[in-house]
């Protein structure tokens, strides 16, 4: 294994940890703080685009995207570190369990509640993240295979 590959693996693990810490911090905020953070960031973007989307949709979208990102990062780190055959199953399982612990954690945050509906949104985000990861993985794999065969083909 090259030094660059080792660095990539370490950075991949750090990114997974970063995603988990980010989700934990967001879940630690009170209900009002969480609503304010979500609304202020998204409202700025949406106002610029001239869109008006209800706050609840923005907040649920944040759940979806957080767990899509975590699942993609988990897929990547499991793939590059362990070369698992069932990386998708392991990545989804890890993300699904983390979403359950996240909702449990929210029970202890003022103005927040652990909801099964949020877990399902998180899982949908994780599945979306896996779909994106599969597309990226396939594109990279195909590109690498083309590079290998292009080097072996002799033109006349």
């Amino acid at each position: 294994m090259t030094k660059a590959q080792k660095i990539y693996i370490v950075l991949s693990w750090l990114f997974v940890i970063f995603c988990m810490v980010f989700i934990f911090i967001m879940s630690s905020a009170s209900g009002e703080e969480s609503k304010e953070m979500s609304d202020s960031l998204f409202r700025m973007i949406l106002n610029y685009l001239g869109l008006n989307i209800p706050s609840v949709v923005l907040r649920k979208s944040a759940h979806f995207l957080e767990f899509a990102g975590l699942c993609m990062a988990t897929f990547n780190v499991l793939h590059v570190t362990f070369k698992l055959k069932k990386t998708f199953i392991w990545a989804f399982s890890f993300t699904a369990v983390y979403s359950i612990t996240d909702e449990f954690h929210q029970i202890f945050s003022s103005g927040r509640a652990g909801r099964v509906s949020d877990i399902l949104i998180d899982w949908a985000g994780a599945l979306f993240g896996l779909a994106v990861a599969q597309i990226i993985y396939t594109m990279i794999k195909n590109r690498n295979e083309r590079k290998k065969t292009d080097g072996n083909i002799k033109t006349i």
Side-chain angles (χ1 to χ4, degrees), residues 19-36:
C19 289
M20 293 172 69
V21 168
F22 177 80
I23 291 169
F24 183 85
I25 290 170
M26 293 285 102
S27 293
S28 297
S30 71
E32 190 57 41
E33 290 170 329
S34 175
K35 183 180 183 314
E36 222 173 88

Side-chain angles (χ1 to χ4, degrees), residues 60-138:
K60 300 309 174 188
S61 297
H63 266 270
F64 183 91
L65 294 173
E66 286 172 341
F67 283 90
L70 176 60
C71 200
M72 288 174 65
T74 302
F75 169 84
N76 178 61
V77 81
L78 293 174
H79 179 71
V80 299
T81 304
F82 303 113
K83 308 278 190 233
L84 298 174
K85 290 184 180 183
K86 298 185 183 203
T87 305
F88 291 97
I89 293 169
W90 286 105
F92 179 79
S93 298
F94 175 82
T95 305
V97 169
Y98 193 73
S99 74
I100 293 168
T101 64
D102 176 59
E103 289 304 311
F104 180 73
H105 170 232
Q106 287 185 31
I107 293 170
F108 303 102
S109 299
S110 172
R112 305 288 292 269
R115 294 187 173 95
V116 172
S117 61
D118 284 348
I119 291 172
L120 296 175
I121 291 168
D122 298 343
W123 291 4
L127 291 172
F128 175 78
L130 282 177
V132 172
Q134 175 64 49
I135 290 166
I136 293 169
Y137 174 74
T138 302

